[in-house]
Amino acid sequence: MTSYLAPESAAPQDSDPAQTPGLATHIRLAAAGCSIATGGMVLFGWAADLVPLTQIIPGLSAMNPLTAVSFVLAGLVLALHSRLSAVPLAALSAVIVGIGTAKVGQLALGYPTGLDQMLFADRLGHAIGVPPNQMAPNTAVALMLAGIALGASKFRSRFALLVSQGFSMIVIAVALFGLVGYLLGLVALYAIKTFNPMALHTAIALIITAVGVFSCNPQAGLMRIIGDRGPAGQLARKLLPMAILVPVVVALLRVEGQRRGFYGPGDAIALGVAANVLATFLLLSGGVLVLYRSDLERRRLEFAVRRSENEYRIAERMGRLGHWRQKLGSELLECSDQFTHICGLTGDQPTTQRMVMDLYHTDDANVRRDFLERAVRTGAGWDSSARIMR
Protein backbone atom coordinates (compact mmCIF):
# COMPACT_ATOMS: atom_id res chain seq x y z
CA MET A 1 0.00 0.00 0.00
CA THR A 2 1.12 3.54 -0.73
CA SER A 3 0.40 6.56 1.47
CA TYR A 4 0.76 10.22 0.59
CA LEU A 5 0.48 13.32 2.75
CA ALA A 6 -0.42 16.44 0.78
CA PRO A 7 0.27 19.89 2.28
CA GLU A 8 -2.27 22.65 1.73
CA SER A 9 0.06 24.34 -0.76
CA ALA A 10 -0.11 21.28 -2.96
CA ALA A 11 -3.77 21.96 -3.77
CA PRO A 12 -4.29 22.87 -7.41
CA GLN A 13 -4.42 26.57 -8.09
CA ASP A 14 -6.88 28.40 -10.30
CA SER A 15 -4.05 29.54 -12.53
CA ASP A 16 -0.57 28.35 -13.28
CA PRO A 17 1.84 30.48 -11.20
CA ALA A 18 4.55 30.06 -13.81
CA GLN A 19 2.58 31.46 -16.72
CA THR A 20 2.57 35.20 -16.06
CA PRO A 21 5.50 36.44 -13.91
CA GLY A 22 7.99 36.47 -16.83
CA LEU A 23 5.63 38.34 -19.12
CA ALA A 24 4.57 40.63 -16.28
CA THR A 25 8.19 41.51 -15.55
CA HIS A 26 8.78 42.43 -19.18
CA ILE A 27 5.63 44.59 -19.18
CA ARG A 28 6.67 46.33 -15.96
CA LEU A 29 10.18 47.06 -17.20
CA ALA A 30 8.89 48.22 -20.59
CA ALA A 31 6.43 50.55 -18.87
CA ALA A 32 9.25 51.83 -16.65
CA GLY A 33 11.44 52.54 -19.67
CA CYS A 34 8.63 54.35 -21.52
CA SER A 35 7.79 56.48 -18.48
CA ILE A 36 11.41 57.47 -17.87
CA ALA A 37 12.02 58.13 -21.58
CA THR A 38 8.90 60.27 -21.91
CA GLY A 39 9.60 62.32 -18.80
CA GLY A 40 13.28 62.68 -19.62
CA MET A 41 12.56 63.76 -23.19
CA VAL A 42 10.12 66.46 -22.04
CA LEU A 43 12.50 67.74 -19.36
CA PHE A 44 15.29 67.94 -21.93
CA GLY A 45 12.93 69.81 -24.23
CA TRP A 46 12.19 72.39 -21.56
CA ALA A 47 15.85 72.71 -20.61
CA ALA A 48 17.02 73.12 -24.22
CA ASP A 49 13.95 75.17 -25.25
CA LEU A 50 13.00 72.56 -27.86
CA VAL A 51 9.24 73.02 -28.16
CA PRO A 52 8.67 69.88 -30.33
CA LEU A 53 9.90 67.68 -27.46
CA THR A 54 7.44 69.25 -25.03
CA GLN A 55 4.46 69.25 -27.39
CA ILE A 56 5.12 66.17 -29.59
CA ILE A 57 2.66 67.52 -32.18
CA PRO A 58 2.77 71.24 -33.05
CA GLY A 59 -0.19 73.19 -31.73
CA LEU A 60 -1.09 70.72 -29.00
CA SER A 61 -0.68 71.25 -25.27
CA ALA A 62 2.82 70.80 -23.82
CA MET A 63 3.51 68.51 -20.90
CA ASN A 64 4.25 70.46 -17.73
CA PRO A 65 7.82 69.94 -16.40
CA LEU A 66 6.56 68.72 -13.03
CA THR A 67 4.39 66.16 -14.81
CA ALA A 68 7.54 64.96 -16.59
CA VAL A 69 9.34 64.68 -13.24
CA SER A 70 6.44 62.54 -11.96
CA PHE A 71 6.78 60.16 -14.89
CA VAL A 72 10.52 59.81 -14.33
CA LEU A 73 9.87 58.96 -10.66
CA ALA A 74 7.10 56.53 -11.61
CA GLY A 75 9.42 54.82 -14.07
CA LEU A 76 12.12 54.47 -11.42
CA VAL A 77 9.64 52.96 -8.97
CA LEU A 78 8.48 50.45 -11.57
CA ALA A 79 12.05 49.57 -12.55
CA LEU A 80 13.14 49.04 -8.92
CA HIS A 81 9.90 47.44 -7.76
CA SER A 82 11.39 43.98 -7.24
CA ARG A 83 14.50 45.32 -5.47
CA LEU A 84 13.09 47.93 -3.12
CA SER A 85 11.26 47.10 0.08
CA ALA A 86 7.80 48.48 0.73
CA VAL A 87 8.88 51.52 2.79
CA PRO A 88 11.37 53.21 0.36
CA LEU A 89 9.12 52.37 -2.59
CA ALA A 90 6.15 53.97 -0.82
CA ALA A 91 8.32 57.01 -0.03
CA LEU A 92 9.20 57.52 -3.71
CA SER A 93 5.56 57.05 -4.65
CA ALA A 94 4.56 59.61 -2.02
CA VAL A 95 6.48 62.26 -3.96
CA ILE A 96 4.23 61.63 -6.96
CA VAL A 97 1.17 61.73 -4.72
CA GLY A 98 2.40 65.00 -3.24
CA ILE A 99 2.85 66.59 -6.67
CA GLY A 100 -0.68 65.68 -7.75
CA THR A 101 -2.18 66.62 -4.40
CA ALA A 102 -0.41 70.01 -4.36
CA LYS A 103 -1.90 70.90 -7.74
CA VAL A 104 -5.38 69.75 -6.76
CA GLY A 105 -5.10 71.75 -3.53
CA GLN A 106 -3.97 74.85 -5.40
CA LEU A 107 -6.95 74.65 -7.75
CA ALA A 108 -9.37 73.96 -4.90
CA LEU A 109 -8.11 76.93 -2.87
CA GLY A 110 -7.99 79.22 -5.89
CA TYR A 111 -4.30 80.16 -5.73
CA PRO A 112 -3.07 81.64 -9.05
CA THR A 113 0.22 79.70 -9.12
CA GLY A 114 1.44 76.48 -7.62
CA LEU A 115 4.22 73.94 -7.45
CA ASP A 116 3.98 73.25 -11.19
CA GLN A 117 5.37 76.75 -11.94
CA MET A 118 8.71 76.22 -10.18
CA LEU A 119 10.64 74.43 -12.96
CA PHE A 120 11.58 76.49 -16.03
CA ALA A 121 9.34 79.32 -14.88
CA ASP A 122 10.82 81.70 -17.48
CA ARG A 123 9.75 79.42 -20.35
CA LEU A 124 6.35 78.15 -19.28
CA GLY A 125 4.59 81.07 -20.93
CA HIS A 126 6.01 80.34 -24.40
CA ALA A 127 5.27 76.66 -24.81
CA ILE A 128 1.81 76.83 -26.39
CA GLY A 129 1.20 80.57 -26.64
CA VAL A 130 -1.21 80.72 -23.68
CA PRO A 131 0.70 81.75 -20.53
CA PRO A 132 1.34 80.11 -18.29
CA ASN A 133 1.66 76.37 -18.93
CA GLN A 134 0.12 74.58 -15.95
CA MET A 135 -0.60 71.02 -14.99
CA ALA A 136 -4.12 70.08 -16.08
CA PRO A 137 -6.60 69.23 -13.29
CA ASN A 138 -7.32 65.77 -14.71
CA THR A 139 -3.57 65.17 -14.99
CA ALA A 140 -3.09 66.15 -11.33
CA VAL A 141 -5.83 63.78 -10.17
CA ALA A 142 -4.46 60.96 -12.32
CA LEU A 143 -0.92 61.45 -10.96
CA MET A 144 -2.20 61.48 -7.38
CA LEU A 145 -4.06 58.19 -7.93
CA ALA A 146 -1.14 56.66 -9.85
CA GLY A 147 1.23 57.48 -6.98
CA ILE A 148 -1.11 55.84 -4.47
CA ALA A 149 -1.44 52.79 -6.72
CA LEU A 150 2.34 52.52 -7.04
CA GLY A 151 2.89 52.79 -3.30
CA ALA A 152 0.20 50.21 -2.50
CA SER A 153 1.44 47.72 -5.12
CA LYS A 154 4.30 46.54 -2.89
CA PHE A 155 2.09 45.63 0.06
CA ARG A 156 0.60 42.14 0.01
CA SER A 157 -2.63 42.75 1.90
CA ARG A 158 -5.88 42.26 0.04
CA PHE A 159 -6.91 45.88 0.66
CA ALA A 160 -3.62 47.26 -0.67
CA LEU A 161 -3.84 45.20 -3.85
CA LEU A 162 -7.46 46.30 -4.31
CA VAL A 163 -6.44 49.94 -3.93
CA SER A 164 -3.49 49.53 -6.30
CA GLN A 165 -5.41 47.94 -9.13
CA GLY A 166 -8.60 49.93 -8.53
CA PHE A 167 -6.82 53.28 -8.70
CA SER A 168 -4.84 52.09 -11.72
CA MET A 169 -8.11 51.40 -13.53
CA ILE A 170 -9.33 54.91 -12.73
CA VAL A 171 -6.06 56.37 -14.07
CA ILE A 172 -6.48 54.38 -17.29
CA ALA A 173 -10.07 55.61 -17.61
CA VAL A 174 -9.08 59.27 -17.13
CA ALA A 175 -6.19 59.01 -19.58
CA LEU A 176 -8.27 57.02 -22.07
CA PHE A 177 -10.88 59.79 -22.11
CA GLY A 178 -8.12 62.25 -22.99
CA LEU A 179 -6.67 60.00 -25.68
CA VAL A 180 -10.08 59.38 -27.26
CA GLY A 181 -10.77 63.11 -27.10
CA TYR A 182 -7.64 63.82 -29.12
CA LEU A 183 -8.47 61.10 -31.64
CA LEU A 184 -12.04 62.34 -32.17
CA GLY A 185 -11.27 66.02 -31.78
CA LEU A 186 -13.57 66.36 -28.78
CA VAL A 187 -11.94 68.91 -26.49
CA ALA A 188 -14.39 68.25 -23.65
CA LEU A 189 -12.84 64.81 -23.11
CA TYR A 190 -9.33 66.07 -22.35
CA ALA A 191 -9.83 69.68 -21.19
CA ILE A 192 -11.80 71.09 -18.25
CA LYS A 193 -13.31 74.51 -18.98
CA THR A 194 -10.61 77.22 -19.02
CA PHE A 195 -7.83 75.11 -17.50
CA ASN A 196 -4.91 73.82 -19.50
CA PRO A 197 -5.81 70.54 -21.25
CA MET A 198 -4.13 67.23 -20.59
CA ALA A 199 -1.29 66.81 -23.10
CA LEU A 200 -1.54 63.96 -25.60
CA HIS A 201 1.70 62.30 -24.50
CA THR A 202 0.64 62.74 -20.88
CA ALA A 203 -2.45 60.62 -21.56
CA ILE A 204 -0.36 57.95 -23.30
CA ALA A 205 2.25 57.90 -20.52
CA LEU A 206 -0.45 57.63 -17.84
CA ILE A 207 -1.92 54.57 -19.53
CA ILE A 208 1.51 52.96 -19.85
CA THR A 209 2.33 53.70 -16.21
CA ALA A 210 -0.97 52.26 -14.99
CA VAL A 211 -0.41 49.09 -17.03
CA GLY A 212 3.02 48.85 -15.40
CA VAL A 213 1.41 49.08 -11.96
CA PHE A 214 -0.96 46.25 -12.89
CA SER A 215 2.00 44.06 -13.88
CA CYS A 216 3.61 44.48 -10.44
CA ASN A 217 1.20 41.85 -9.04
CA PRO A 218 0.51 39.35 -11.83
CA GLN A 219 -1.03 36.77 -9.48
CA ALA A 220 -3.67 39.07 -7.98
CA GLY A 221 -6.86 40.74 -9.08
CA LEU A 222 -7.44 41.54 -12.74
CA MET A 223 -3.93 40.53 -13.83
CA ARG A 224 -4.48 37.03 -12.45
CA ILE A 225 -7.61 36.70 -14.58
CA ILE A 226 -5.91 38.09 -17.68
CA GLY A 227 -2.95 35.73 -17.25
CA ASP A 228 -5.09 32.66 -16.56
CA ARG A 229 -5.01 29.90 -19.16
CA GLY A 230 -8.66 29.06 -18.68
CA PRO A 231 -11.69 30.50 -20.50
CA ALA A 232 -11.81 33.60 -18.29
CA GLY A 233 -8.24 34.53 -19.21
CA GLN A 234 -8.82 33.82 -22.89
CA LEU A 235 -11.94 35.99 -22.91
CA ALA A 236 -10.15 38.80 -21.10
CA ARG A 237 -7.15 38.79 -23.44
CA LYS A 238 -9.26 38.68 -26.59
CA LEU A 239 -12.30 40.78 -25.72
CA LEU A 240 -11.02 43.52 -23.41
CA PRO A 241 -8.78 45.16 -26.07
CA MET A 242 -11.53 44.83 -28.67
CA ALA A 243 -14.15 46.23 -26.30
CA ILE A 244 -12.01 49.37 -26.01
CA LEU A 245 -10.77 49.66 -29.59
CA VAL A 246 -13.93 48.86 -31.54
CA PRO A 247 -16.14 51.66 -30.14
CA VAL A 248 -13.27 54.15 -30.58
CA VAL A 249 -12.72 53.10 -34.21
CA VAL A 250 -16.45 53.24 -34.92
CA ALA A 251 -16.73 56.71 -33.41
CA LEU A 252 -13.61 57.87 -35.26
CA LEU A 253 -14.98 56.68 -38.62
CA ARG A 254 -18.32 58.27 -37.88
CA VAL A 255 -16.85 61.66 -36.95
CA GLU A 256 -14.30 61.68 -39.76
CA GLY A 257 -16.87 60.68 -42.38
CA GLN A 258 -19.21 63.42 -41.23
CA ARG A 259 -16.39 65.98 -41.35
CA ARG A 260 -15.51 65.02 -44.92
CA GLY A 261 -19.12 65.31 -46.01
CA PHE A 262 -19.67 61.65 -46.83
CA TYR A 263 -22.98 61.74 -44.94
CA GLY A 264 -25.04 64.08 -42.78
CA PRO A 265 -25.72 64.02 -39.01
CA GLY A 266 -28.78 61.78 -39.37
CA ASP A 267 -26.97 59.26 -41.52
CA ALA A 268 -24.00 59.34 -39.16
CA ILE A 269 -26.21 58.35 -36.23
CA ALA A 270 -27.78 55.48 -38.19
CA LEU A 271 -24.39 54.22 -39.38
CA GLY A 272 -23.01 54.50 -35.84
CA VAL A 273 -25.88 52.42 -34.42
CA ALA A 274 -25.48 49.78 -37.13
CA ALA A 275 -21.71 49.63 -36.60
CA ASN A 276 -22.11 49.30 -32.84
CA VAL A 277 -24.66 46.48 -33.28
CA LEU A 278 -22.28 44.67 -35.64
CA ALA A 279 -19.32 45.18 -33.29
CA THR A 280 -21.32 43.91 -30.31
CA PHE A 281 -22.40 40.84 -32.30
CA LEU A 282 -18.81 40.10 -33.31
CA LEU A 283 -17.55 40.51 -29.73
CA LEU A 284 -20.26 38.22 -28.34
CA SER A 285 -19.61 35.69 -31.09
CA GLY A 286 -15.92 35.69 -30.20
CA GLY A 287 -16.78 35.13 -26.54
CA VAL A 288 -19.13 32.26 -27.37
CA LEU A 289 -16.46 30.66 -29.56
CA VAL A 290 -13.88 30.87 -26.76
CA LEU A 291 -16.31 29.30 -24.27
CA TYR A 292 -17.27 26.56 -26.74
CA ARG A 293 -13.65 25.61 -27.38
CA SER A 294 -12.91 25.73 -23.66
CA ASP A 295 -15.89 23.47 -22.91
CA LEU A 296 -14.74 20.98 -25.55
CA GLU A 297 -11.27 20.93 -24.02
CA ARG A 298 -12.71 20.53 -20.52
CA ARG A 299 -14.85 17.55 -21.58
CA ARG A 300 -11.88 15.99 -23.36
CA LEU A 301 -9.75 16.32 -20.23
CA GLU A 302 -12.53 14.97 -18.00
CA PHE A 303 -12.85 11.92 -20.24
CA ALA A 304 -9.07 11.41 -20.15
CA VAL A 305 -9.06 11.71 -16.35
CA ARG A 306 -11.92 9.22 -15.97
CA ARG A 307 -10.16 6.78 -18.28
CA SER A 308 -6.87 7.21 -16.40
CA GLU A 309 -8.57 6.69 -13.04
CA ASN A 310 -10.29 3.57 -14.32
CA GLU A 311 -6.99 2.17 -15.60
CA TYR A 312 -5.36 3.02 -12.26
CA ARG A 313 -8.07 1.13 -10.37
CA ILE A 314 -7.62 -1.86 -12.67
CA ALA A 315 -3.84 -1.78 -12.11
CA GLU A 316 -4.32 -1.66 -8.33
CA ARG A 317 -6.69 -4.63 -8.43
CA MET A 318 -4.29 -6.62 -10.61
CA GLY A 319 -1.34 -5.84 -8.37
CA ARG A 320 -3.38 -6.12 -5.16
CA LEU A 321 -2.17 -2.66 -4.16
CA GLY A 322 -3.97 0.21 -2.49
CA HIS A 323 -3.22 3.79 -1.51
CA TRP A 324 -4.51 6.55 0.73
CA ARG A 325 -3.98 10.29 0.68
CA GLN A 326 -4.26 12.74 3.56
CA LYS A 327 -4.32 16.53 3.40
CA LEU A 328 -2.38 18.11 6.26
CA GLY A 329 -4.66 19.73 8.80
CA SER A 330 -7.40 17.17 8.24
CA GLU A 331 -8.00 13.79 9.86
CA LEU A 332 -9.88 12.44 6.84
CA LEU A 333 -8.19 10.14 4.33
CA GLU A 334 -8.94 9.68 0.65
CA CYS A 335 -8.69 5.93 0.14
CA SER A 336 -8.72 3.89 -3.04
CA ASP A 337 -11.23 1.10 -3.47
CA GLN A 338 -8.50 -1.54 -3.31
CA PHE A 339 -7.17 -0.05 -0.05
CA THR A 340 -10.57 -0.34 1.65
CA HIS A 341 -10.88 -3.89 0.29
CA ILE A 342 -7.44 -4.91 1.61
CA CYS A 343 -8.14 -3.44 5.03
CA GLY A 344 -11.67 -4.84 5.21
CA LEU A 345 -13.28 -1.40 5.53
CA THR A 346 -16.89 -1.06 4.51
CA GLY A 347 -16.66 2.44 3.08
CA ASP A 348 -20.01 3.37 4.66
CA GLN A 349 -18.39 6.13 6.71
CA PRO A 350 -15.45 8.55 6.14
CA THR A 351 -12.05 7.00 6.77
CA THR A 352 -9.91 8.82 9.34
CA GLN A 353 -6.26 8.52 10.29
CA ARG A 354 -7.25 7.04 13.65
CA MET A 355 -9.25 4.31 11.92
CA VAL A 356 -6.25 3.37 9.75
CA MET A 357 -3.83 3.43 12.69
CA ASP A 358 -6.11 1.09 14.60
CA LEU A 359 -5.73 -1.42 11.76
CA TYR A 360 -1.98 -1.77 12.29
CA HIS A 361 -0.62 -4.52 14.47
CA THR A 362 0.18 -3.25 17.96
CA ASP A 363 3.91 -3.84 17.48
CA ASP A 364 3.94 -1.84 14.23
CA ALA A 365 1.54 1.02 15.02
CA ASN A 366 3.99 3.16 17.01
CA VAL A 367 6.65 2.79 14.34
CA ARG A 368 4.12 3.89 11.73
CA ARG A 369 3.12 6.92 13.81
CA ASP A 370 6.77 7.92 14.10
CA PHE A 371 7.13 7.75 10.32
CA LEU A 372 4.05 9.94 9.86
CA GLU A 373 5.16 12.53 12.41
CA ARG A 374 8.60 12.75 10.83
CA ALA A 375 7.06 13.11 7.38
CA VAL A 376 4.88 15.98 8.56
CA ARG A 377 7.76 17.63 10.40
CA THR A 378 10.55 17.25 7.85
CA GLY A 379 8.90 16.18 4.61
CA ALA A 380 10.91 12.95 4.57
CA GLY A 381 9.40 9.81 3.08
CA TRP A 382 9.72 6.25 4.30
CA ASP A 383 9.94 2.68 3.06
CA SER A 384 8.79 0.08 5.52
CA SER A 385 6.50 -2.89 6.08
CA ALA A 386 3.69 -3.20 8.60
CA ARG A 387 1.07 -5.81 9.48
CA ILE A 388 -2.63 -4.96 9.18
CA MET A 389 -5.35 -6.59 11.28
CA ARG A 390 -8.46 -7.06 9.16
Side-chain angles (χ1 to χ4, degrees):
M1 290 181 294
T2 302
S3 54
Y4 173 51
L5 293 118
E8 296 292 338
S9 59
Q13 300 296 320
D14 294 335
S15 62
D16 184 1
Q19 64 185 323
T20 55
L23 176 62
T25 300
H26 292 313
I27 294 175
R28 174 173 58 83
L29 294 178
C34 290
S35 297
I36 294 174
T38 301
M41 176 190 66
V42 172
L43 288 175
F44 179 77
W46 283 110
D49 200 14
L50 297 175
V51 176
L53 295 183
T54 63
Q55 290 181 327
I56 301 300
I57 298 178
L60 296 185
S61 178
M63 183 188 295
N64 185 270
L66 205 59
T67 303
V69 171
S70 300
F71 284 129
V72 172
L73 286 174
L76 289 174
V77 172
L78 288 174
L80 300 175
H81 191 275
S82 59
R83 300 182 181 183
L84 291 178
S85 61
V87 174
L89 189 141
L92 287 174
S93 302
V95 178
I96 304 174
V97 177
I99 291 173
T101 305
K103 183 60 183 179
V104 172
Q106 177 229 322
L107 296 174
L109 297 175
Y111 291 131
T113 59
L115 195 65
D116 57 337
Q117 301 297 296
M118 292 180 59
L119 294 177
F120 310 107
D122 57 330
R123 297 176 181 174
L124 293 180
H126 305 286
I128 57 173
V130 181
N133 175 276
Q134 297 184 7
M135 185 185 298
N138 43 356
T139 299
V141 173
L143 286 177
M144 181 176 64
L145 297 179
I148 296 174
L150 272 172
S153 65
K154 191 67 174 181
F155 296 92
R156 296 304 177 186
S157 69
R158 187 181 184 87
F159 177 75
L161 294 177
L162 179 64
V163 168
S164 178
Q165 297 198 2
F167 281 10
S168 296
M169 292 180 67
I170 297 176
V171 172
I172 291 177
V174 172
L176 195 59
F177 268 101
L179 183 59
V180 172
Y182 276 107
L183 290 175
L184 301 181
L186 301 176
V187 180
L189 293 181
Y190 60 85
I192 301 176
K193 294 185 178 181
T194 59
F195 297 103
N196 284 42
M198 175 186 287
L200 174 60
H201 42 321
T202 297
I204 297 174
L206 282 171
I207 293 175
I208 293 174
T209 301
V211 171
V213 177
F214 267 113
S215 64
C216 291
N217 295 287
Q219 294 301 321
L222 183 61
M223 280 299 294
R224 179 174 181 174
I225 298 175
I226 293 175
D228 189 79
R229 293 181 179 177
Q234 295 179 40
L235 279 174
R237 290 190 295 272
K238 291 183 178 180
L239 298 189
L240 282 180
M242 297 302 296
I244 296 174
L245 292 176
V246 170
V248 174
V249 172
V250 169
L252 182 61
L253 293 176
R254 171 186 167 185
V255 172
E256 190 63 24
Q258 188 174 346
R259 285 176 181 169
R260 294 178 179 271
F262 294 154
Y263 38 76
D267 297 329
I269 294 175
L271 289 173
V273 172
N276 283 324
V277 170
L278 178 61
T280 303
F281 173 77
L282 293 176
L283 288 174
L284 290 177
S285 299
V288 170
L289 181 61
V290 169
L291 290 176
Y292 175 71
R293 289 177 175 174
S294 175
D295 186 60
L296 284 180
E297 180 67 15
R298 177 186 59 80
R299 283 183 283 176
R300 186 188 68 80
L301 291 176
E302 287 180 351
F303 176 76
V305 169
R306 288 195 299 268
R307 183 175 62 182
S308 176
E309 290 178 346
N310 185 54
E311 292 174 351
Y312 192 80
R313 285 193 293 268
I314 293 173
E316 281 196 339
R317 286 198 300 268
M318 293 176 64
R320 303 189 68 181
L321 300 171
H323 76 275
W324 58 263
R325 180 177 184 272
Q326 179 184 4
K327 183 180 293 186
L328 295 182
S330 172
E331 285 293 318
L332 296 179
L333 304 182
E334 298 176 10
C335 303
S336 67
D337 295 339
Q338 188 66 11
F339 178 86
T340 57
H341 174 72
I342 292 173
C343 297
L345 301 175
T346 61
D348 297 335
Q349 57 183 344
T351 305
T352 64
Q353 181 179 337
R354 182 183 296 275
M355 292 173 58
V356 173
M357 285 299 171
D358 289 341
L359 295 173
Y360 287 113
H361 190 279
T362 306
D363 297 338
D364 301 333
N366 291 332
V367 176
R368 202 67 168 176
R369 288 191 182 92
D370 292 339
F371 279 129
L372 284 173
E373 291 176 359
R374 187 180 65 179
V376 172
R377 187 175 63 255
T378 65
W382 71 85
D383 183 6
S384 66
S385 301
R387 291 165 290 179
I388 291 179
M389 309 295 293
R390 289 174 56 87

